[in-house]
Amino acid sequence: GESVGLHLPTLSVQEGDNSIINCAYSNSASDYFIWYKQESGKGPQFIIDIRSNMDKRQGQRVTVLLNKTVKHLSLQIAATQPGDSAVYFCAENEEGYSTLTFGKGTMLLVSP
Amino acid sequence: DAGVTQSPTHLIKTRGQQVTLRCSPKSGHDTVSWYQQALGQGPQFIFQYYEEEERQRGNFPDRFSGHQYPNYSSELNVNALLLGDSALYLCASSLSVLAGRDLAQYFGPGTRLTVL
């Protein structure tokens, strides 16, 4: 079946840098996307979401960009901090359904 | 505002046994979804409950069953446990799509199940 995947399994950055985590999806019927942060031993934490009628959405220090033409999603984290170190998942939702399909995740490592 | 809670935190069972995991949704939410997360993988959808009925189901055998109560809390039951059932089981709550509200799913801390 169609699924969501990530390009980079691990991303290492220095504290203060901006981070960009990428995600490709293949289900053209997906119309809603969420980014989650998961720290070791914890459940996924909601970061930001975006609907397919938008191409950009900003939160606190985070921005999600959606390119429907190439089915690509990215999460930008400004001024990355050591506390941002975690695994980041993108998840997609298909119109008419409430379930989420997750990719394998990207590990973000932030060095002080 | 209480978030999603799950119990127990950890559980150890042996092959062939049965297990029940519990979840209380975030205040105001009426829909509960269950996911299985193997080590190093993304969560995999098991099923979703709304109005005390299973509304959608992922690719999991009938050994996995669930229930939702009138107060929206939910249980996940797994029968005839296999070694491969060892995983983190996550519960997520949301507002029904039919309510025309937020699609976002909020996760609990999970239950770590180990099958020996």
Side-chain angles (χ1 to χ4, degrees):
Chain A
E2 295 181 299
S3 63
V4 174
L6 298 177
H7 294 303
L8 299 172
T10 303
L11 178 63
S12 297
V13 301
Q14 294 289 321
E15 181 178 2
D17 287 351
N18 295 330
S19 303
I20 299 176
I21 301 172
N22 296 302
C23 175
Y25 67 96
S26 57
N27 187 352
S28 57
S30 293
D31 69 342
Y32 177 67
F33 304 86
I34 305 178
W35 279 101
Y36 286 96
K37 171 187 179 182
Q38 188 173 26
E39 297 174 278
S40 181
K42 297 183 179 180
Q45 176 188 351
F46 177 93
I47 300 174
I48 192 168
D49 60 357
I50 188 168
R51 295 178 184 263
S52 60
N53 61 352
M54 304 172 67
D55 53 20
K56 180 179 180 179
R57 191 170 186 212
Q58 290 184 292
Q60 186 175 18
R61 283 201 306 120
V62 295
T63 301
V64 55
L65 299 177
L66 175 62
N67 185 330
K68 295 180 288 296
T69 302
V70 295
K71 299 193 182 92
H72 185 267
L73 195 68
S74 69
L75 176 70
Q76 300 179 359
I77 305 174
T80 313
Q81 303 167 359
D84 294 327
S85 294
V87 176
Y88 289 80
F89 293 97
C90 64
E92 64 172 322
N93 170 257
E94 181 178 339
E95 183 178 2
Y97 296 86
S98 296
T99 62
L100 294 175
T101 301
F102 285 78
K104 289 187 176 180
T106 293
M107 170 74 78
L108 176 65
L109 299 175
V110 183
S111 303
Chain B
D1 182 19
V4 180
T5 60
Q6 292 186 245
S7 64
T9 305
H10 296 86
L11 204 52
I12 299 175
K13 292 286 188 179
T14 57
R15 283 178 296 176
Q17 286 190 310
Q18 179 266 343
V19 68
T20 297
L21 311 181
R22 295 177 174 82
C23 170
S24 290
K26 182 179 170 67
S27 177
H29 284 182
D30 59 4
T31 302
V32 173
S33 302
W34 287 92
Y35 293 81
Q36 180 194 67
Q37 186 177 25
L39 200 61
Q41 302 292 318
Q44 297 291 314
F45 174 72
I46 302 175
F47 43 55
Q48 183 182 81
Y49 276 82
Y50 170 68
E51 290 189 337
E52 302 179 49
E53 291 189 357
E54 182 181 294
R55 183 161 70 175
Q56 285 184 268
R57 188 178 184 92
N59 188 26
F60 279 81
D62 292 344
R63 297 187 297 109
F64 290 76
S65 63
H67 188 79
Q68 185 180 36
Y69 295 93
N71 66 352
Y72 308 121
S73 67
S74 177
E75 290 180 353
L76 164 65
N77 301 292
V78 186
N79 294 321
L81 284 167
L82 303 174
L83 295 179
D85 294 332
S86 294
L88 180 68
Y89 288 85
L90 296 162
C91 167
S93 75
S94 58
L95 274 171
S96 167
V97 174
L98 296 176
R101 301 288 295 275
D102 192 358
L103 285 171
Q105 294 190 13
Y106 296 86
F107 284 83
T111 294
R112 172 69 63 187
L113 173 64
T114 302
V115 183
L116 303 177

